[in-house]
Each structure stands twice: as structure tokens, then as C-alpha cells.
Amino acid sequence: MKKIIILAFAFSLTSCAQVQQTLNQLPQLSSQFPGVGGVDIASGLKEALNKGITQQVSKLTAVDGFYKNEAVKILMPEELQKVDATLRKIGLSSLADEGIKVLNRAAEDAVKEATPIFVSAVKNMSFTDAKNILLGNDSAATSYLQNSTTTALYGKFNPVIKSSFEKVGADVVWTKIINKYNTIPLVKKVNPDLTDYTTNKALVGVFKMIAVEEKEIRTNISARTTPLLKSVFAMQDGK
């Protein structure tokens, strides 16, 4: 994930000459990262970012990427836990299960919009951001991306999830669930904003999986699968 951060630095420079010019303006980099050129550092971070997106975020876009991943699976919102329990008590477990499945299907669709936003965040990363990420804690890169992309990701995810609800039939399923529950005597009527709920849960899932890959690269030398990753992240080992 550290890779993710300096990856951004690589994207922001359009040529090796620009990289060198930047390094000349920031001589502290050479002293802080002895024996590793700026181009290598930038390339290593880019490679790390690509690996993080490929290894983790892309998994979430597949069918069951959320639904069968217990770490990020979206369950009914807290205010609907009673709905879930009640439906199961009256023999409607299959309806409750379908309600959960369509939430996850919508999230899987939405995450397909994430990659270009991450790339943009990497392009706009400053030298200081990249350095701090490389030498930061196990989730420094994830935190940077979370802080710099959450608003844009929400803006992209929300309409996709709304559209996906219609595509996968979530609107019909949930209308049936809510109507069925609200007809049960003595229950408190519910009408949750499932689009907002699913959008936020999709964001949580994305950053959770990015954090998994970042920690793996930072702490597991065998996860540094290329000479470049090994060289760049060796610097953090001795920080």
C-alpha cells in the first residue's frame, strides 16, 4: 500500500527528467533514501498501487466479491435487524437472504468505479505525502487514499448503487420486504435509505481490502514479488 502512495508520485510526473528535477529541488530525499533513485521509488510505489488494486479492490467487483467475503459482506442495517429476525421467524428466510444478496450485488457494481478515482488521487499526491506514506504505519497509504477519495467515491458509488438496485431487482425485493414487515401487527414501521447505507458499506469494504494488501506488503517480505518492490519497501524496514 505504501506502494500506493508513492505510486501517486510516479503518476504526477510525466517523465524521468521531471522526476529528477523534483528530486533536485528536494535533496533531502536522496539522504533519506540512500542508494535508491527517485525514479525507482516512484516506480515502486506505482507498482505497489497497481498490485493493491489488482489483488484486492478488483476482487470486490466480481460476482460474490462482497457477498461471499465475510470481511466485507454487507448485512442488513442495524435498524433492520429486527426485520431480518422477524422474516426468518415467520418462514421467510429466503426473502431475507435475497434482500442481503441484492445489497451486495449493488456494491459489487459500484466498486468498478473506484480505480480511476484512486489513480487521480495518486497523481495529485505530493512528495511529502509519498514520503510520509512510505515511512508511515501499516495503514498510512490506506488512510491517505481514504482521506483523499472518500467524497469522490461516494459521489460515484451512490448513483451506480441506485441504478444497480433497479438492475438486480433490489428495489422490488426490498419493497416486498418492507411491505411484508410493515403489515405485521405491532411492529414499528421502517423505511430505510438503503442506497446511502449500501454506498457507505461499499466504501468501508474497499478500504478494508486495501488495508489488507498494504499491511501484507509492509510486513511480509514474500509479498514483495518483484525486485523493485523489494528495494523500495526495504527502506521502510529500516526506518
Side-chain angles (χ1 to χ4, degrees):
M1 232 12 223
K2 295 178 170 185
K3 36 182 177 175
I4 290 185
I5 302 172
I6 298 187
L7 206 190
F9 180 62
F11 276 119
S12 66
L13 302 178
T14 59
S15 69
C16 292
Q18 285 177 301
V19 174
Q20 191 57 55
Q21 180 181 19
T22 300
L23 294 180
N24 290 339
Q25 295 170 349
L26 296 163
Q28 67 269 32
L29 178 64
S30 297
S31 61
Q32 183 142 17
F33 302 141
V36 180
V39 175
D40 287 340
I41 292 172
S43 297
L45 292 174
K46 179 177 180 179
E47 190 171 310
L49 177 56
N50 285 335
K51 187 171 184 287
I53 292 173
T54 300
Q55 296 292 323
Q56 300 298 341
V57 177
S58 63
K59 292 179 182 177
L60 298 177
T61 67
V63 173
D64 292 330
F66 272 85
Y67 188 61
K68 291 189 177 180
N69 182 341
E70 292 302 320
V72 298
K73 182 178 180 179
I74 299 173
L75 303 176
M76 285 194 184
E78 185 176 350
E79 66 267 33
L80 294 185
Q81 293 300 317
K82 288 185 178 180
V83 174
D84 184 272
T86 301
L87 290 176
R88 296 181 190 282
K89 283 181 180 178
I90 62 176
L92 294 175
S93 295
S94 60
L95 180 59
D97 290 338
E98 185 63 20
I100 292 172
K101 181 183 289 185
V102 292
L103 296 183
N104 286 273
R105 288 289 181 265
E108 290 155 11
D109 274 351
V111 174
K112 295 172 185 175
E113 303 292 324
T115 299
I117 293 174
F118 285 136
V119 170
S120 178
V122 171
K123 286 182 179 179
N124 293 322
M125 186 182 297
S126 69
F127 171 82
T128 299
D129 289 330
K131 183 179 68 173
N132 289 343
I133 290 169
L134 184 63
L135 301 179
N137 60 34
D138 287 350
S139 62
T142 302
S143 295
Y144 170 81
L145 286 179
Q146 192 163 10
N147 291 334
S148 59
T149 66
T150 293
T151 299
L153 287 173
Y154 186 97
K156 282 285 188 180
F157 283 14
N158 194 262
V160 172
I161 286 173
K162 184 175 181 179
S163 176
S164 182
F165 276 171
E166 298 174 4
K167 183 179 73 175
V168 303
D171 51 346
V172 175
V173 171
W174 274 94
T175 296
K176 185 175 181 180
I177 288 174
I178 298 303
N179 288 343
K180 177 68 70 174
Y181 180 77
N182 285 343
T183 61
I184 298 173
L186 304 180
V187 302
K188 182 180 179 181
K189 301 296 187 285
V190 295
N191 186 29
D193 184 345
L194 290 171
T195 301
D196 177 71
Y197 171 76
T198 305
T199 299
N200 284 310
K201 285 299 184 180
L203 289 171
V204 170
V206 165
F207 292 116
K208 181 175 287 189
M209 297 310 295
I210 288 176
V212 166
E213 186 64 20
E214 177 177 8
K215 185 175 182 179
E216 180 72 1
I217 290 174
R218 288 183 183 269
T219 61
N220 183 359
I221 294 177
S222 65
R224 303 168 191 173
T225 53
T226 68
L228 185 55
L229 287 176
K230 291 176 183 177
S231 296
V232 171
F233 287 94
M235 293 186 290
Q236 66 135 46
D237 296 339
K239 66 184 177 183

Coordinates of all heavy atoms in Angstrom, one line a residue, residues 57-141:
V57 N -8.9 -4.7 -4.5 CA -10.1 -4.0 -4.9 C -10.8 -4.6 -6.1 O -12.1 -4.7 -6.1 CB -9.7 -2.5 -5.3 CG1 -11.0 -1.8 -5.8 CG2 -9.1 -1.8 -4.1
S58 N -10.1 -5.1 -7.1 CA -10.7 -5.8 -8.2 C -11.5 -7.0 -7.8 O -12.5 -7.4 -8.5 CB -9.6 -6.1 -9.3 OG -8.7 -7.1 -8.8
K59 N -11.1 -7.7 -6.7 CA -11.8 -8.9 -6.3 C -13.3 -8.5 -5.9 O -14.2 -9.3 -6.0 CB -11.1 -9.5 -5.1 CG -9.8 -10.1 -5.4 CD -9.2 -10.7 -4.1 CE -7.8 -11.3 -4.3 NZ -7.2 -11.8 -3.0
L60 N -13.4 -7.3 -5.4 CA -14.7 -6.9 -4.9 C -15.7 -6.7 -6.0 O -16.9 -6.6 -5.8 CB -14.6 -5.6 -4.1 CG -13.8 -5.7 -2.8 CD1 -13.7 -4.3 -2.1 CD2 -14.4 -6.7 -1.8
T61 N -15.2 -6.5 -7.3 CA -16.1 -6.2 -8.4 C -16.7 -7.5 -9.0 O -17.6 -7.4 -9.8 CB -15.4 -5.4 -9.5 OG1 -14.4 -6.3 -10.1 CG2 -14.7 -4.2 -8.9
A62 N -16.2 -8.6 -8.6 CA -16.6 -9.9 -9.2 C -18.0 -10.3 -8.5 O -18.3 -9.8 -7.4 CB -15.6 -11.0 -8.9
V63 N -18.7 -11.2 -9.2 CA -19.9 -11.7 -8.6 C -19.5 -12.4 -7.2 O -18.6 -13.2 -7.2 CB -20.6 -12.7 -9.5 CG1 -21.7 -13.4 -8.8 CG2 -21.0 -12.0 -10.8
D64 N -20.2 -12.0 -6.2 CA -19.9 -12.5 -4.8 C -18.7 -11.9 -4.2 O -18.2 -12.4 -3.2 CB -19.8 -14.1 -4.8 CG -21.1 -14.8 -5.1 OD1 -22.2 -14.2 -4.8 OD2 -21.1 -15.9 -5.7
G65 N -18.1 -10.9 -4.9 CA -16.9 -10.2 -4.3 C -17.2 -9.7 -2.9 O -16.3 -9.7 -2.0
F66 N -18.4 -9.2 -2.7 CA -18.8 -8.7 -1.4 C -19.6 -9.9 -0.7 O -19.3 -10.2 0.5 CB -19.7 -7.5 -1.5 CG -19.0 -6.2 -1.4 CD1 -18.5 -5.7 -2.6 CD2 -18.8 -5.5 -0.3 CE1 -17.8 -4.5 -2.6 CE2 -18.2 -4.3 -0.2 CZ -17.7 -3.7 -1.4
Y67 N -20.5 -10.4 -1.4 CA -21.5 -11.4 -0.8 C -20.8 -12.6 -0.1 O -21.3 -13.1 0.9 CB -22.5 -11.8 -1.8 CG -23.6 -12.6 -1.3 CD1 -24.5 -12.1 -0.4 CD2 -23.8 -14.0 -1.7 CE1 -25.6 -12.8 0.1 CE2 -24.9 -14.7 -1.2 CZ -25.8 -14.1 -0.3 OH -26.8 -14.9 0.2
K68 N -19.7 -13.1 -0.7 CA -19.1 -14.3 -0.1 C -17.8 -14.0 0.5 O -17.0 -14.9 0.8 CB -18.9 -15.4 -1.2 CG -20.2 -16.0 -1.6 CD -20.1 -17.2 -2.5 CE -21.4 -17.8 -2.9 NZ -21.3 -19.0 -3.8
N69 N -17.5 -12.7 0.8 CA -16.3 -12.3 1.6 C -16.8 -11.8 2.9 O -17.3 -10.7 3.1 CB -15.6 -11.2 0.8 CG -14.3 -10.8 1.5 OD1 -14.1 -11.0 2.7 ND2 -13.4 -10.1 0.8
E70 N -16.6 -12.6 3.9 CA -17.1 -12.3 5.3 C -16.5 -11.0 5.8 O -17.1 -10.4 6.7 CB -16.9 -13.5 6.2 CG -17.7 -14.7 5.9 CD -19.2 -14.4 5.9 OE1 -19.7 -13.7 6.8 OE2 -19.9 -15.0 5.0
A71 N -15.4 -10.7 5.4 CA -14.7 -9.4 5.9 C -15.4 -8.2 5.5 O -15.4 -7.2 6.2 CB -13.3 -9.4 5.4
V72 N -16.1 -8.2 4.3 CA -16.8 -7.0 3.8 C -18.3 -7.2 3.5 O -18.9 -6.3 3.0 CB -16.1 -6.5 2.6 CG1 -14.6 -6.1 2.9 CG2 -16.1 -7.5 1.4
K73 N -18.8 -8.4 3.7 CA -20.2 -8.7 3.3 C -21.1 -7.7 4.0 O -21.0 -7.4 5.2 CB -20.5 -10.1 3.8 CG -22.0 -10.5 3.4 CD -22.2 -12.0 3.8 CE -23.7 -12.4 3.4 NZ -23.9 -13.8 3.8
I74 N -22.0 -7.2 3.2 CA -23.0 -6.2 3.7 C -24.2 -6.9 4.2 O -24.9 -7.7 3.5 CB -23.4 -5.2 2.6 CG1 -22.1 -4.4 2.1 CG2 -24.4 -4.2 3.1 CD1 -22.4 -3.6 0.8
L75 N -24.5 -6.7 5.5 CA -25.7 -7.2 6.1 C -26.8 -6.2 6.2 O -26.6 -5.0 5.9 CB -25.3 -7.8 7.5 CG -24.1 -8.8 7.6 CD1 -23.8 -9.1 9.0 CD2 -24.5 -10.0 6.8
M76 N -27.9 -6.6 6.7 CA -29.0 -5.6 6.9 C -28.5 -4.5 7.9 O -27.8 -4.8 8.9 CB -30.2 -6.3 7.4 CG -31.0 -7.1 6.4 SD -32.6 -7.5 6.9 CE -33.2 -8.5 5.6
P77 N -28.9 -3.3 7.6 CA -28.6 -2.2 8.6 C -29.1 -2.5 10.0 O -30.1 -3.3 10.1 CB -29.2 -1.0 8.0 CG -30.2 -1.5 7.0 CD -29.7 -2.8 6.5
E78 N -28.5 -1.9 11.0 CA -28.9 -2.2 12.3 C -30.4 -2.0 12.6 O -31.0 -2.8 13.3 CB -28.1 -1.2 13.3 CG -28.3 -1.5 14.7 CD -27.4 -0.7 15.6 OE1 -26.5 0.0 15.1 OE2 -27.7 -0.7 16.9
E79 N -30.9 -1.0 12.0 CA -32.4 -0.7 12.3 C -33.3 -1.8 11.6 O -34.5 -1.8 11.9 CB -32.8 0.7 11.8 CG -32.7 0.9 10.3 CD -31.4 1.5 9.9 OE1 -30.4 1.1 10.5 OE2 -31.4 2.3 8.9
L80 N -32.7 -2.6 10.8 CA -33.5 -3.7 10.1 C -33.1 -5.1 10.6 O -33.6 -6.0 10.1 CB -33.3 -3.6 8.6 CG -33.8 -2.4 7.9 CD1 -33.6 -2.5 6.4 CD2 -35.3 -2.1 8.2
Q81 N -32.3 -5.1 11.7 CA -32.0 -6.5 12.2 C -33.3 -7.2 12.7 O -33.4 -8.4 12.6 CB -31.0 -6.3 13.4 CG -29.6 -5.8 13.0 CD -29.0 -6.8 11.9 OE1 -29.0 -8.0 12.1 NE2 -28.3 -6.2 10.9
K82 N -34.2 -6.4 13.3 CA -35.5 -7.0 13.7 C -36.3 -7.5 12.5 O -37.0 -8.4 12.6 CB -36.3 -6.0 14.5 CG -35.7 -5.7 15.9 CD -36.6 -4.8 16.7 CE -36.0 -4.6 18.1 NZ -36.9 -3.7 18.9
V83 N -36.1 -6.7 11.4 CA -36.9 -7.1 10.2 C -36.3 -8.5 9.8 O -37.1 -9.4 9.5 CB -36.6 -6.1 9.1 CG1 -37.3 -6.6 7.8 CG2 -37.2 -4.8 9.5
D84 N -35.0 -8.6 9.7 CA -34.4 -9.9 9.3 C -34.9 -11.0 10.2 O -35.3 -12.1 9.8 CB -32.9 -9.7 9.4 CG -32.1 -11.0 8.9 OD1 -31.9 -11.9 9.7 OD2 -31.8 -11.0 7.7
A85 N -34.8 -10.8 11.5 CA -35.1 -11.9 12.5 C -36.6 -12.2 12.4 O -37.0 -13.4 12.4 CB -34.8 -11.4 13.9
T86 N -37.5 -11.2 12.2 CA -38.9 -11.5 12.1 C -39.3 -12.2 10.9 O -40.1 -13.2 10.9 CB -39.7 -10.1 12.1 OG1 -39.4 -9.4 13.4 CG2 -41.2 -10.4 12.1
L87 N -38.6 -11.9 9.7 CA -38.9 -12.6 8.5 C -38.6 -14.1 8.6 O -39.3 -14.9 8.1 CB -38.2 -11.9 7.3 CG -38.6 -10.6 6.9 CD1 -37.7 -10.0 5.8 CD2 -40.1 -10.6 6.4
R88 N -37.4 -14.3 9.3 CA -37.0 -15.7 9.4 C -37.9 -16.5 10.4 O -38.2 -17.7 10.1 CB -35.5 -15.7 9.9 CG -34.6 -15.1 8.9 CD -33.1 -15.1 9.3 NE -32.3 -14.3 8.4 CZ -31.9 -14.7 7.2 NH1 -32.2 -15.9 6.8 NH2 -31.1 -13.9 6.5
K89 N -38.4 -15.8 11.4 CA -39.3 -16.5 12.3 C -40.7 -16.9 11.6 O -41.3 -17.9 12.0 CB -39.7 -15.5 13.5 CG -38.6 -15.4 14.5 CD -39.0 -14.5 15.6 CE -37.9 -14.4 16.7 NZ -38.3 -13.5 17.8
I90 N -41.1 -16.1 10.6 CA -42.4 -16.4 10.0 C -42.2 -17.2 8.7 O -43.1 -17.2 7.8 CB -43.2 -15.1 9.8 CG1 -42.5 -14.2 8.8 CG2 -43.5 -14.4 11.1 CD1 -43.3 -12.9 8.5
G91 N -41.0 -17.8 8.5 CA -40.8 -18.7 7.4 C -40.4 -18.0 6.1 O -40.5 -18.6 5.0
L92 N -39.8 -16.7 6.2 CA -39.4 -16.0 5.0 C -37.9 -15.8 5.0 O -37.4 -14.8 4.6 CB -40.2 -14.7 5.0 CG -41.7 -14.7 4.8 CD1 -42.3 -13.4 4.8 CD2 -42.0 -15.4 3.4
S93 N -37.2 -16.8 5.4 CA -35.7 -16.7 5.4 C -35.2 -16.5 4.0 O -34.2 -15.7 3.8 CB -35.1 -18.0 5.9 OG -35.4 -18.2 7.3
S94 N -35.8 -17.1 3.0 CA -35.3 -16.9 1.6 C -35.4 -15.5 1.1 O -34.6 -14.9 0.4 CB -36.0 -17.8 0.6 OG -37.4 -17.6 0.6
L95 N -36.5 -14.8 1.6 CA -36.7 -13.4 1.2 C -35.6 -12.5 1.9 O -35.1 -11.6 1.3 CB -38.1 -12.9 1.6 CG -38.4 -11.5 1.3 CD1 -38.3 -11.2 -0.2 CD2 -39.9 -11.2 1.8
A96 N -35.4 -12.8 3.2 CA -34.3 -12.1 3.9 C -33.0 -12.3 3.3 O -32.2 -11.3 3.1 CB -34.3 -12.6 5.4
D97 N -32.7 -13.5 2.9 CA -31.4 -13.8 2.2 C -31.3 -13.0 0.9 O -30.2 -12.5 0.6 CB -31.2 -15.3 2.0 CG -31.0 -16.1 3.3 OD1 -30.6 -15.5 4.3 OD2 -31.3 -17.3 3.3
E98 N -32.3 -13.0 0.2 CA -32.3 -12.3 -1.1 C -32.1 -10.8 -0.9 O -31.4 -10.2 -1.7 CB -33.6 -12.6 -1.9 CG -33.6 -12.0 -3.3 CD -32.6 -12.6 -4.2 OE1 -32.1 -13.7 -3.9 OE2 -32.3 -12.0 -5.2
G99 N -32.7 -10.3 0.1 CA -32.5 -8.9 0.4 C -31.1 -8.5 0.7 O -30.6 -7.5 0.2
I100 N -30.4 -9.4 1.4 CA -29.0 -9.2 1.7 C -28.1 -9.3 0.4 O -27.2 -8.5 0.1 CB -28.5 -10.1 2.8 CG1 -29.1 -9.8 4.1 CG2 -27.0 -10.1 2.9 CD1 -28.9 -10.8 5.2
K101 N -28.5 -10.3 -0.4 CA -27.7 -10.6 -1.6 C -27.8 -9.4 -2.5 O -26.7 -9.0 -3.1 CB -28.2 -11.8 -2.3 CG -27.5 -12.1 -3.6 CD -28.1 -13.3 -4.3 CE -27.8 -14.6 -3.6 NZ -28.3 -15.8 -4.3
V102 N -28.9 -8.8 -2.7 CA -29.0 -7.7 -3.7 C -28.3 -6.4 -3.2 O -27.8 -5.7 -4.0 CB -30.5 -7.3 -4.0 CG1 -31.1 -8.5 -4.8 CG2 -31.3 -7.0 -2.8
L103 N -28.2 -6.3 -1.9 CA -27.3 -5.1 -1.4 C -25.9 -5.3 -1.8 O -25.2 -4.4 -2.3 CB -27.4 -5.1 0.1 CG -28.8 -4.7 0.8 CD1 -28.6 -4.6 2.3 CD2 -29.3 -3.4 0.2
N104 N -25.4 -6.6 -1.7 CA -24.0 -6.9 -2.0 C -23.8 -6.8 -3.5 O -22.7 -6.4 -4.0 CB -23.7 -8.2 -1.5 CG -23.5 -8.2 0.0 OD1 -22.4 -7.9 0.5 ND2 -24.5 -8.5 0.8
R105 N -24.8 -7.2 -4.3 CA -24.6 -7.1 -5.8 C -24.5 -5.7 -6.2 O -23.7 -5.3 -7.1 CB -25.9 -7.7 -6.4 CG -26.0 -9.2 -6.4 CD -24.9 -9.9 -7.3 NE -25.0 -11.4 -7.2 CZ -24.3 -12.1 -6.3 NH1 -23.4 -11.5 -5.5 NH2 -24.4 -13.4 -6.3
A106 N -25.2 -4.8 -5.6 CA -25.1 -3.4 -5.9 C -23.7 -2.8 -5.6 O -23.2 -2.0 -6.3 CB -26.2 -2.6 -5.2
A107 N -23.2 -3.2 -4.4 CA -21.9 -2.8 -4.0 C -20.8 -3.3 -5.0 O -19.9 -2.6 -5.4 CB -21.6 -3.3 -2.6
E108 N -21.0 -4.5 -5.5 CA -20.0 -5.1 -6.4 C -20.0 -4.3 -7.7 O -19.0 -4.0 -8.3 CB -20.4 -6.6 -6.7 CG -20.1 -7.5 -5.5 CD -20.9 -8.7 -5.5 OE1 -21.6 -9.0 -6.5 OE2 -20.9 -9.4 -4.4
D109 N -21.2 -3.8 -8.1 CA -21.3 -3.0 -9.3 C -20.6 -1.7 -9.1 O -19.8 -1.2 -10.0 CB -22.7 -2.7 -9.7 CG -23.3 -3.8 -10.6 OD1 -22.6 -4.7 -11.0 OD2 -24.6 -3.8 -10.8
A110 N -20.8 -1.1 -8.0 CA -20.3 0.3 -7.7 C -18.8 0.3 -7.6 O -18.2 1.3 -8.1 CB -20.9 0.8 -6.4
V111 N -18.2 -0.7 -7.1 CA -16.7 -0.6 -6.9 C -16.0 -0.6 -8.2 O -14.8 -0.2 -8.3 CB -16.3 -1.8 -6.0 CG1 -14.7 -1.9 -5.9 CG2 -16.8 -1.7 -4.6
K112 N -16.6 -0.9 -9.3 CA -16.0 -0.8 -10.6 C -15.6 0.6 -10.9 O -14.8 0.9 -11.8 CB -16.9 -1.4 -11.7 CG -17.2 -2.9 -11.5 CD -18.3 -3.4 -12.5 CE -18.6 -4.9 -12.2 NZ -19.7 -5.4 -13.0
E113 N -16.2 1.5 -10.2 CA -16.0 3.0 -10.5 C -14.8 3.5 -9.7 O -14.4 4.6 -9.8 CB -17.2 3.8 -10.1 CG -18.5 3.4 -10.8 CD -18.5 3.7 -12.3 OE1 -17.9 4.8 -12.6 OE2 -19.0 3.0 -13.1
A114 N -14.2 2.6 -8.9 CA -13.2 3.1 -7.9 C -11.8 3.4 -8.5 O -11.1 4.3 -8.2 CB -13.0 2.1 -6.8
T115 N -11.4 2.5 -9.5 CA -10.0 2.6 -9.9 C -9.6 3.9 -10.5 O -8.5 4.5 -10.1 CB -9.8 1.5 -11.0 OG1 -10.0 0.2 -10.4 CG2 -8.3 1.6 -11.5
P116 N -10.3 4.6 -11.4 CA -9.9 5.9 -11.9 C -9.8 6.9 -10.8 O -9.0 7.9 -10.9 CB -11.0 6.2 -12.9 CG -12.1 5.3 -12.7 CD -11.6 4.1 -12.1
I117 N -10.6 6.8 -9.8 CA -10.5 7.8 -8.7 C -9.3 7.6 -7.9 O -8.6 8.6 -7.5 CB -11.8 7.7 -7.8 CG1 -13.0 8.1 -8.6 CG2 -11.7 8.5 -6.5 CD1 -14.3 7.9 -7.9
F118 N -8.9 6.4 -7.7 CA -7.6 6.1 -7.0 C -6.4 6.6 -7.8 O -5.5 7.2 -7.2 CB -7.5 4.6 -6.7 CG -8.3 4.1 -5.6 CD1 -9.0 2.9 -5.7 CD2 -8.5 4.8 -4.4 CE1 -9.8 2.4 -4.7 CE2 -9.3 4.3 -3.4 CZ -9.9 3.1 -3.5
V119 N -6.5 6.4 -9.1 CA -5.4 6.8 -10.0 C -5.3 8.4 -9.9 O -4.2 8.9 -9.8 CB -5.6 6.4 -11.4 CG1 -4.6 7.1 -12.4 CG2 -5.5 4.9 -11.6
S120 N -6.4 9.0 -9.9 CA -6.4 10.5 -9.8 C -5.8 10.9 -8.4 O -5.0 11.9 -8.4 CB -7.8 11.0 -9.9 OG -7.8 12.5 -9.7
A121 N -6.1 10.2 -7.4 CA -5.6 10.6 -6.1 C -4.1 10.4 -6.0 O -3.3 11.2 -5.4 CB -6.2 9.7 -5.0
V122 N -3.6 9.4 -6.7 CA -2.2 9.1 -6.8 C -1.5 10.2 -7.6 O -0.4 10.7 -7.2 CB -1.9 7.8 -7.4 CG1 -0.4 7.6 -7.7 CG2 -2.4 6.6 -6.5
K123 N -2.1 10.7 -8.6 CA -1.5 11.7 -9.5 C -1.3 13.0 -8.7 O -0.4 13.8 -8.8 CB -2.4 12.0 -10.7 CG -2.3 11.0 -11.8 CD -3.2 11.4 -12.9 CE -3.2 10.4 -14.1 NZ -4.0 10.8 -15.2
N124 N -2.3 13.3 -7.8 CA -2.3 14.5 -7.0 C -1.5 14.4 -5.7 O -1.4 15.4 -4.9 CB -3.7 14.9 -6.7 CG -4.5 15.3 -8.0 OD1 -3.9 15.9 -8.9 ND2 -5.7 15.0 -8.0
M125 N -0.9 13.3 -5.5 CA -0.1 13.1 -4.2 C 1.2 14.0 -4.3 O 1.9 14.0 -5.3 CB 0.2 11.7 -4.1 CG 0.9 11.3 -2.8 SD 1.3 9.6 -2.7 CE -0.3 8.9 -2.8
S126 N 1.4 14.6 -3.2 CA 2.6 15.4 -3.1 C 3.8 14.6 -2.7 O 3.7 13.5 -2.2 CB 2.4 16.6 -2.1 OG 2.4 16.0 -0.7
F127 N 5.0 15.2 -2.8 CA 6.2 14.5 -2.4 C 6.2 14.1 -0.9 O 6.5 13.0 -0.5 CB 7.4 15.3 -2.7 CG 8.7 14.8 -2.2 CD1 9.4 13.8 -2.8 CD2 9.2 15.2 -0.9 CE1 10.6 13.2 -2.3 CE2 10.3 14.7 -0.4 CZ 11.0 13.7 -1.1
T128 N 5.7 15.1 -0.1 CA 5.6 14.9 1.3 C 4.7 13.8 1.6 O 4.9 13.0 2.5 CB 5.2 16.2 2.0 OG1 6.2 17.2 1.7 CG2 5.1 16.0 3.5
D129 N 3.5 13.8 0.9 CA 2.6 12.7 1.1 C 3.2 11.3 0.9 O 3.1 10.4 1.7 CB 1.4 12.8 0.2 CG 0.5 14.0 0.5 OD1 0.4 14.4 1.7 OD2 -0.1 14.6 -0.4
A130 N 3.9 11.2 -0.2 CA 4.5 10.0 -0.6 C 5.6 9.5 0.4 O 5.6 8.3 0.8 CB 5.2 10.1 -2.0
K131 N 6.4 10.4 0.8 CA 7.4 10.1 1.8 C 6.8 9.7 3.1 O 7.3 8.7 3.7 CB 8.3 11.3 2.0 CG 9.5 11.1 3.0 CD 10.4 12.3 3.1 CE 9.6 13.4 3.9 NZ 10.5 14.5 4.2
N132 N 5.8 10.4 3.5 CA 5.2 10.0 4.8 C 4.5 8.7 4.8 O 4.5 7.9 5.7 CB 4.2 11.1 5.2 CG 4.8 12.4 5.6 OD1 6.0 12.5 5.9 ND2 4.0 13.5 5.6
I133 N 4.0 8.4 3.6 CA 3.3 7.1 3.4 C 4.3 5.9 3.5 O 4.1 4.9 4.1 CB 2.5 7.0 2.1 CG1 1.3 8.0 2.2 CG2 2.0 5.6 1.8 CD1 0.6 8.2 0.9
L134 N 5.4 6.1 2.7 CA 6.4 5.1 2.7 C 7.0 4.8 4.1 O 7.2 3.6 4.4 CB 7.5 5.5 1.7 CG 8.6 4.4 1.5 CD1 8.0 3.2 0.9 CD2 9.7 4.9 0.7
L135 N 7.1 5.8 4.9 CA 7.8 5.7 6.2 C 6.7 5.7 7.3 O 7.1 5.7 8.5 CB 8.8 6.8 6.4 CG 9.9 6.9 5.4 CD1 10.8 8.0 5.7 CD2 10.7 5.6 5.3
G136 N 5.4 5.6 6.9 CA 4.4 5.6 7.9 C 4.0 4.3 8.5 O 4.8 3.3 8.3
N137 N 2.9 4.2 9.2 CA 2.4 3.0 9.8 C 1.8 2.0 8.8 O 1.8 2.3 7.6 CB 1.5 3.3 10.9 CG 0.2 4.0 10.5 OD1 -0.3 3.7 9.4 ND2 -0.4 4.8 11.3
D138 N 1.4 0.9 9.2 CA 0.9 -0.1 8.3 C -0.3 0.2 7.5 O -0.7 -0.4 6.5 CB 0.6 -1.4 9.1 CG 1.8 -2.1 9.6 OD1 2.9 -1.8 9.1 OD2 1.7 -3.1 10.4
S139 N -1.0 1.3 7.9 CA -2.2 1.7 7.1 C -2.1 3.2 6.6 O -3.1 3.8 6.2 CB -3.4 1.6 8.0 OG -3.3 2.5 9.1
A140 N -0.8 3.7 6.5 CA -0.6 5.1 6.1 C -1.2 5.3 4.7 O -1.8 6.4 4.4 CB 0.9 5.4 6.2
A141 N -0.9 4.4 3.8 CA -1.4 4.6 2.4 C -2.9 4.5 2.3 O -3.5 5.3 1.6 CB -0.8 3.5 1.5

